[in-house]
């Protein structure tokens, strides 16, 4: 045999990693107990569950099965620890976190081996990807602990957080949850997934080693139905952070609705992997391997839908099959193995079921000629062609090593196909034409977009999705806000009180004066407004009944009914249209049609907001009187509200072209562009108080960021909003950007919250309404921002405007752009 022949036939030999260090660590500890208050505590149930090695199907260890009594104990420990930890200076927290990062590195090989044993993923991945990213996450967030005081000055920790993680990246998901929570001064009760608890338990040992104060991190193993649900419902938990399936995420949204718990959800995906015909196909093939065969495809952001430009599809599929023939499957501890074991028999069955379904649906299935190991839970890499976009395998997350491919002709078709799922987690784009790639990236509905790369992660760059992929980000500065709240916010329970502001001091410009012909009190104004000329006292006022404002036009309410508007004395001062479901639907449609608003320039949006301020200021007195009439507040006070409103419009005109993204420098050659993007169509339910300022305080940030909106004004005092129709019409605002529907605020909000084409919902009102909105939002998993009945001082610039509003009006998309050829 000559060298050439050897080269041709060369196979990898086995390169096994020793399991012994992992196995003996397990033996020393099993059965594992619960980690509460830095101590190992026996579960009250006395029960233990098996943790298996999916590569063999054999039992690895026994871990405690916590029940609700254990959850109570852990939450109590976390609550007690929060008293101190929440006030511990950032520098001290940073020291602890730095120690955690160091210890993770010191134990990195053991952690990598344990993870592979317990989860079945190849050691190559745990050693080179999972564990280094875990350490990086703690280092990065140690930095944010250090900087919290100076970089997030207006914020405080949320309190006790419950964190629930899946089995696919057990220690990495733990790090993504624990690191930002600790950095921001929260205390934690974390539940690992049923099948993969071991690295979390090793992490608990690290917590002990570094001497983190007791109760700051508590870890409870066990069943979802016992631990997970008890955490979600626990009254003394201030936030739930969850990663897992969309179904469970939806049930958590419903279970926490109205409780005032903060919530972040990282859910499923069906991410597109888009290949244009000028892409480097050899790179593409390796990209596909990383996209769908990394971690056996059990990756929420797996590139599971291959979208190929038609003219290269056959060539790419052929190359792919060739590559699949050479993938190596087997013992996860073998360093020359590409694909390890599926985490559990249940997951294996589910993959098989969906693959069968694909075949039944008429797609063409292809698998390599080699066979999988028969011991343990293995599934071969699988490729479907001839897939039609509406079929199950093209829509449903398989969470296994199964790729479905489809073709497109034009970039526009690619974008349409890519966005044709209810998810919005990630996407990757392959083209040698950077102009094309950067044009396509913003059009993709995804939280992460990888250009000529895939499945890259870094602590500096936020990760998370939208729509049915959930909401919130992990990593980056944006991820920190999931674990803080404004300092002025109280811890109080959701409130059913109705807050109608009385008088407030002006903080905007000079103190307004009452016009000469008025006394300063609201009582002095009649319900028919009069001017100084001699005639109007003799003539009845011309009736003005505002209609709805939809698509830039004033339209009659569908119901044909009007509702009376009263002053505080109960006198009728006007009518507004009685909006219904149909009006809301029309408004949502108009808002969608106006999506070009987001694509326009920020400069243009700023100009229009300034113009609105200008047009409002021309009618300052009229608006002030209308506020007096509706609220009975003094003229001086009402005029202060109008001035504050003008100032607020200026603020968002200013922000429109200044709330920008960031360029991250993760440890790779390249950059990540973090771009805040409009969410889409937002439904707004305005506060009852401050009829004008409350309305503009929501409208202005939403449209400044490029959203189009459907607004339900104050129900008690809607006339200030309807008086704005003319301001909007004369300010060059394109039709459909702002749509206003008057009527029963809660009824209309319900329709908006239920609506599948509304992407986010803000609701400022009483606790019950907030709960209904959060419950309904679970339908399409829209983002919500509600006040839980807590008052907000709209006249105060800290509470009434600023970055909190802009953050709620945007979502960050991270676009990864590597350098080099
Ligand atoms: P899962 O949703 O069943 O479980 C996730 C976690 O939630 C586990 O710890 C589980 O015990 C717990 N849990 C289950 N039911 C619960 C309930 N009713 N209340 C509270 N907790 C409950 O998902 P899984 O099967 O473990 O993981 C696979 C899924 O996770 C996939 O669908 C995948 O898309 C998703 N995932 C998403 C991300 C992301 O970042 N978006 C990351 C990894 C996995
Ligand atoms: Mn296991």
């Amino acid at each position: 045999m000559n060298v050439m022949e050897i080269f041709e036939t060369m196979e990898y030999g086995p390169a096994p990693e020793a399991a012994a260090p992992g196995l003996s660590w397990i033996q020393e500890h099993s059965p594992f107990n619960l980690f509460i208050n830095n101590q190992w505590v026996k579960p009250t149930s006395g029960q233990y569950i098996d943790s298996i090695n999916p590569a063999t199907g054999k039992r690895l260890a026994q871990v405690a099965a916590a029940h609700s009594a254990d959850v109570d104990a852990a939450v109590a420990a976390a609550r007690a620890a929060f008293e101190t930890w929440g006030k511990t200076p950032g520098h001290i927290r940073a020291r602890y976190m730095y120690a955690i990062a160091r210890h993770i590195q010191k134990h990195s090989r053991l952690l990598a081996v344990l993870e592979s044993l317990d989860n079945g993923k190849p050691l190559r991945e745990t050693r080179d990807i999972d564990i280094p990213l875990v350490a990086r996450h703690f280092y990065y967030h140690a930095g944010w602990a250090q900087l919290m005081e100076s970089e997030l000055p207006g914020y405080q920790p949320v309190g006790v957080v419950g964190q629930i993680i899946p089995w696919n990246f057990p220690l990495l998901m733990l790090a993504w949850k624990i690191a930002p929570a600790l950095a921001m001064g929260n205390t934690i009760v974390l539940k690992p997934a049923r099948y993969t608890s071991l690295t979390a338990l090793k992490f608990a040992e690290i917590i002990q080693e570094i001497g983190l104060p007791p109760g700051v991190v508590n870890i409870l193993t066990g069943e979802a139905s016992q631990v997970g649900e008890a955490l979600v419902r626990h009254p003394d938990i201030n936030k739930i952070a969850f990663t897992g399936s969309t179904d469970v995420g939806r049930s958590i949204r419903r279970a926490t609705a109205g409780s005032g718990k903060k919530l972040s959800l990282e859910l499923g995906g069906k991410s597109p992997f888009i290949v244009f015909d000028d892409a480097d196909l050899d790179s593409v093939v390796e990209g596909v391997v990383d996209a769908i065969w990394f971690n056996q495809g059990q990756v929420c952001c797996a590139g599971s839908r291959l979208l190929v430009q038609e003219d290269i599809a056959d060539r790419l599929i052929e190359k792919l099959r060739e590559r699949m023939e050479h993938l190596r499957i087997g013992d996860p501890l073998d360093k020359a193995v590409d694909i390890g074991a599926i985490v559990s028999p249940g997951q294996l069955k589910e993959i098989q079921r969906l693959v069968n379904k694909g075949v039944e649906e008429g797609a063409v299935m292809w698998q390599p000629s080699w066979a999988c190991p028969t011991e343990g839970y293995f599934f071969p890499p699988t490729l479907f062609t001839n897939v039609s976009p509406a079929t199950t395998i093209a829509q449903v997350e398989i969470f296994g090593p199964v790729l479905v491919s489809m073709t497109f002709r034009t970039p526009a078709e690619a974008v349409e196909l890519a966005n044709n799922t209810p998810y919005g987690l990630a996407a990757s784009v392959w083209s040698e034409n950077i102009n094309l790639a950067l044009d396509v990236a913003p059009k993709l509905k995804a939280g992460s977009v990888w250009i000529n790369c895939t499945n890259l992660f870094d602590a500096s760059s936020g990760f998370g999705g939208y729509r049915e992929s959930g909401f919130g980000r992990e990593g980056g500065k944006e991820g920190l806000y999931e674990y803080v709240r404004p300092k002025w916010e109280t811890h109080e329970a959701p409130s059913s009180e109705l807050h109608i502001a009385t008088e407030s001091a002006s903080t905007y410009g000079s103190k307004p004066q009452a016009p000469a012909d008025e006394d300063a009190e609201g009582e002095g104004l009649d319900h028919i407004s009069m001017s100084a000329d001699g005639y109007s006292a003799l003539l009845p006022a011309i009736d003005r009944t505002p209609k709805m404002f939809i698509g830039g036009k004033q339209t009659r309410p569908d119901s044909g009914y009007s509702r009376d508007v009263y002053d505080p004395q109960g006198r009728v001062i006007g009518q507004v249209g009685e909006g219904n479901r149909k009006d809301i639907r029309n408004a949502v449609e108009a808002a969608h049609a106006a999506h070009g608003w987001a694509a326009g320039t920020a400069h243009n949006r700023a100009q229009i907001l300034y113009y609105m301020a200008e047009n409002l200021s021309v009618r300052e007195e009229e608006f002030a009187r209308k506020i007096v009439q509706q609220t009975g507040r003094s003229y001086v006070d009402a005029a202060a509200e109008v001035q504050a409103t003008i100032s607020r419009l200026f603020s968002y005109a200013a922000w429109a072209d200044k709330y920008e993204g960031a360029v991250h420098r993760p440890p790779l050659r390249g950059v990540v562009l973090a771009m805040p993007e409009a969410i889409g169509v937002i439904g707004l339910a305005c506060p009852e108080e401050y009829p004008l300022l409350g309305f503009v305080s929501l409208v202005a940030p939403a449209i400044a960021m490029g959203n189009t909106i459907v607004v339900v004004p104050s129900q008690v005092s809607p006339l200030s909003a309807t008086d704005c129709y003319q301001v909007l019409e004369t300010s060059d605002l394109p039709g459909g950007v702002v749509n206003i529907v008057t009527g029963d605020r809660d009824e209309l909000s319900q329709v908006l919250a239920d609506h599948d084409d509304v992407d986010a919902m803000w609701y400022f009102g009483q606790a019950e309404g907030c709960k209904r909105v959060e419950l309904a939002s679970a339908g399409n998993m829209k983002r919500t921002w509600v006040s839980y009945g807590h008052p907000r001082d709209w006249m105060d610039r800290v509470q009434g405007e600023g970055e909190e509003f802009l953050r709620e009006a945007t979502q960050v998309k991270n676009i990864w752009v590597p350098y080099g050829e």
Side-chain angles (χ1 to χ4, degrees):
M1 215 186 231
N2 64 28
V3 174
M4 194 60 201
E5 282 163 352
I6 292 171
F7 187 78
E8 289 295 334
T9 62
M10 205 155 55
E11 274 289 334
Y12 287 100
E17 170 81 10
L23 292 175
S24 64
W25 182 82
I26 292 171
Q27 227 157 36
E28 281 162 32
H29 293 74
S30 187
F32 289 85
N33 284 314
L34 304 170
F35 188 70
I36 300 174
N37 237 345
N38 280 15
Q39 285 171 356
W40 296 100
V41 182
K42 287 202 163 64
T44 49
S45 67
Q47 288 166 1
Y48 292 82
I49 50 180
D50 288 346
S51 198
I52 47 159
N53 177 349
T56 61
K58 301 209 172 82
R59 183 167 93 186
L60 262 183
Q62 285 196 300
V63 302
H67 279 197
S68 63
D70 306 302
V71 174
D72 289 343
V75 173
R79 176 58 63 194
F82 180 67
E83 287 306 313
T84 328
W85 184 250
K87 301 182 189 95
T88 300
H91 175 62
I92 310 278
R93 293 202 308 276
R95 284 184 177 219
Y96 284 118
M97 295 187 67
Y98 177 71
I100 294 174
R102 301 278 294 177
H103 278 245
I104 283 169
Q105 285 182 316
K106 275 187 243 186
H107 297 294
S108 63
R109 200 63 174 223
L110 176 60
L111 287 166
V113 170
L114 287 175
E115 200 80 302
S116 284
L117 284 171
D118 201 10
N119 166 282
K121 59 169 71 190
L123 185 86
R124 226 161 39 92
E125 293 178 11
T126 58
R127 181 196 59 192
D128 299 345
I129 299 170
D130 293 58
I131 309 303
L133 281 172
V134 169
R136 161 90 180 131
H137 223 75
F138 280 100
Y139 281 124
Y140 176 83
H141 283 93
W144 280 124
Q146 175 79 18
L147 298 178
M148 181 180 179
E149 233 170 295
S150 64
E151 297 306 304
L152 291 96
Y155 291 90
Q156 58 180 334
V158 171
V160 175
V161 302
Q163 304 185 318
I164 300 171
I165 56 174
W167 42 257
N168 58 347
F169 294 89
L171 193 63
L172 185 58
M173 290 300 106
L174 173 149
W176 282 19
K177 295 278 180 292
I178 289 186
L182 279 185
M184 296 295 105
N186 302 277
T187 57
I188 295 154
V189 180
L190 176 130
K191 183 193 113 47
R194 164 79 173 74
Y195 300 113
T196 53
S197 306
L198 297 183
T199 47
L201 296 165
K202 176 66 204 170
F203 181 82
E205 239 182 34
I206 290 175
I207 294 296
Q208 279 180 319
E209 268 170 30
I210 66 134
L212 191 73
V216 173
V217 172
N218 305 277
I219 293 178
L220 300 181
T221 51
E223 304 281 0
S225 59
Q226 295 297 330
V227 193
E229 291 189 15
L231 280 174
V232 167
R233 294 182 190 279
H234 203 289
D236 202 28
I237 283 184
N238 305 108
K239 180 205 160 84
I240 293 288
F242 171 81
T243 296
S245 58
T246 297
D247 285 347
V248 174
R250 187 171 275 132
S251 78
I252 292 178
R253 166 70 294 176
R254 292 194 174 120
T256 56
S259 68
K261 281 194 184 83
K262 221 171 140 82
L263 180 64
S264 51
L265 299 174
E266 306 280 355
L267 310 175
K270 187 78 178 176
S271 299
F273 186 105
I274 306 167
V275 185
F276 288 101
D277 60 6
D278 63 349
D280 169 3
L281 289 195
D282 293 322
S283 304
V284 167
V285 169
E286 292 316 304
V288 172
V289 171
D290 288 339
I292 189 66
W293 294 307
F294 171 54
N295 199 15
Q296 297 68 251
Q298 303 167 126
V299 181
C300 49
C301 52
S304 52
R305 288 186 299 143
L306 176 64
L307 311 181
V308 197
Q309 202 153 15
E310 201 174 64
D311 50 334
I312 53 156
D314 290 345
R315 249 169 67 218
L316 178 59
I317 296 296
E318 199 187 306
K319 272 177 174 289
L320 214 47
R321 287 179 178 166
E322 164 69 19
R323 182 69 178 90
M324 289 166 75
E325 275 295 344
H326 292 93
L327 287 171
R328 295 165 57 89
I329 199 165
D331 180 6
L333 288 184
D334 181 342
K335 280 163 272 189
V337 146
D338 300 306
I339 301 180
I342 301 296
V343 74
S344 72
Q347 186 67 17
L348 185 63
K349 251 193 227 134
E350 180 62 8
I351 295 168
Q352 188 62 62
R353 182 184 75 80
L354 285 162
V355 165
N356 294 345
K357 181 89 184 155
V359 174
E360 277 166 35
E361 285 177 332
V364 176
M365 188 198 66
W366 190 91
Q367 291 174 334
S369 58
W370 45 259
C372 287
T374 47
E375 196 196 28
Y377 318 125
F378 291 90
F379 198 88
T382 302
L383 172 63
F384 275 104
T385 50
N386 204 21
V387 176
S388 73
T391 52
T392 309
I393 54 166
Q395 290 292 327
V396 169
E397 181 178 48
I398 298 175
F399 226 61
V402 182
L403 180 65
V404 302
S405 80
M406 287 164 267
T407 60
F408 64 87
R409 294 203 180 112
T410 63
E413 221 179 284
V415 169
E416 197 179 316
L417 202 52
N419 290 339
N420 180 30
T421 77
Y423 295 111
L425 194 52
S428 92
V429 180
W430 296 75
S431 166
E432 291 299 289
N433 180 351
I434 191 70
N435 300 317
L436 174 64
L438 287 175
D439 183 40
V440 166
K443 295 177 182 155
L444 297 171
K445 291 182 176 160
S448 296
V449 179
W450 291 292
I451 292 179
N452 293 323
C453 58
T454 191
N455 275 343
L456 294 181
F457 311 99
D458 182 55
S460 70
S461 306
F463 181 87
Y466 51 106
R467 308 207 286 181
E468 294 199 8
S469 295
F471 42 78
R473 293 290 182 270
E474 297 189 300
K477 190 176 184 186
E478 61 265 37
L480 303 178
Y481 292 101
E482 304 297 335
Y483 290 99
V484 294
R485 51 200 186 83
K487 275 190 176 150
W488 59 264
E489 243 183 56
T490 61
H491 264 302
E492 282 162 27
S495 157
S496 307
E497 269 170 66
L498 182 60
H499 299 278
I500 304 271
T502 47
E503 301 288 292
S504 57
S506 168
T507 50
Y508 295 84
S510 58
K511 193 150 176 71
Q513 299 296 314
D517 62 334
E518 307 287 356
D519 57 37
E521 292 306 312
E523 277 68 30
L525 283 162
D526 201 354
H527 61 287
I528 295 171
S529 78
M530 295 177 219
S531 67
D533 67 65
Y535 293 102
S536 54
L538 308 172
L539 298 173
I542 294 176
D543 182 72
R544 269 179 60 206
T545 301
K547 303 172 183 167
M548 308 289 165
F549 190 70
I550 295 175
K553 292 193 189 70
Q554 300 192 32
T555 52
R556 274 179 219 295
D558 171 73
S559 67
Y561 286 100
S562 303
R563 61 161 52 214
D564 289 336
V565 179
Y566 304 92
D567 71 8
Q569 280 72 44
R571 291 174 296 193
V572 174
I573 52 172
Q575 280 87 31
V576 290
E578 181 73 66
N580 67 11
R581 186 170 291 275
K582 182 83 179 356
D583 298 308
I584 292 282
R585 281 204 298 261
N586 292 341
V588 171
E589 211 169 289
H592 265 285
H595 62 81
W597 178 244
T601 66
H603 172 73
N604 180 46
R605 291 197 291 273
Q607 293 295 301
I608 288 173
L609 284 158
Y610 281 126
Y611 202 10
M612 282 164 61
E614 184 187 325
N615 287 325
L616 185 60
S617 77
V618 174
R619 294 167 54 193
E620 220 175 306
E621 192 183 318
E622 176 200 334
F623 271 95
R625 284 171 191 247
K626 191 55 76 60
I627 292 169
V628 170
Q629 212 184 356
Q630 294 175 98
T631 64
R633 283 156 45 202
S634 71
Y635 183 86
V636 169
D637 198 58
E641 179 177 340
V642 179
Q643 281 193 14
T645 304
I646 292 167
S647 167
R648 195 134 295 163
L649 285 165
F650 261 64
S651 287
Y652 290 110
W655 274 119
D657 57 4
K658 291 170 197 66
Y659 189 68
E660 291 176 315
V663 179
H664 297 308
R665 304 299 310 265
L668 94 157
R669 282 197 65 229
V671 291
V672 180
L673 313 175
M675 310 207 312
E677 290 184 341
I679 296 175
V681 174
I682 306 184
L684 309 178
C686 300
E688 289 297 4
E689 67 269 30
Y690 294 107
L692 180 64
L693 181 63
F695 170 78
V696 168
S697 295
L698 301 188
V699 168
I703 66 174
M705 294 297 103
N707 299 285
T708 58
I709 59 179
V710 178
V711 197
V712 183
S714 164
Q715 178 177 321
V716 179
S717 315
L719 297 175
S720 298
T722 59
D723 277 356
C724 284
Y725 293 175
Q726 277 136 354
V727 172
L728 299 172
E729 281 166 344
T730 51
S731 303
D732 293 344
L733 186 76
V737 173
V738 175
N739 305 278
I740 301 170
V741 180
T742 50
D744 184 312
R745 206 175 70 117
D746 280 356
E747 228 172 270
L748 297 173
S749 298
Q750 181 78 39
V751 182
L752 279 168
D754 278 328
H755 203 300
D756 260 357
D757 275 338
V758 173
D759 303 296
M761 178 78 201
W762 299 357
Y763 180 99
F764 285 82
Q766 289 147 281
E768 300 78 53
C770 297
K771 179 173 183 174
R772 278 195 299 270
V773 163
E774 287 189 334
L775 266 178
S777 72
N780 73 344
M781 299 302 283
K782 58 175 67 65
R783 242 171 95 177
T784 54
W785 185 27
V786 305
S787 62
Y788 302 112
H790 295 153
R792 186 179 276 262
D793 181 357
W794 295 99
M795 293 294 286
D796 176 41
R797 294 183 69 155
V798 174
Q799 298 188 22
E801 69 177 54
E803 289 191 66
E804 189 187 3
F805 290 77
L806 298 164
R807 254 197 327 277
E808 293 291 346
T810 52
Q811 53 203 349
V812 181
K813 173 180 278 176
N814 279 278
I815 302 177
W816 292 66
V817 189
Y819 294 161
E821 290 219 52

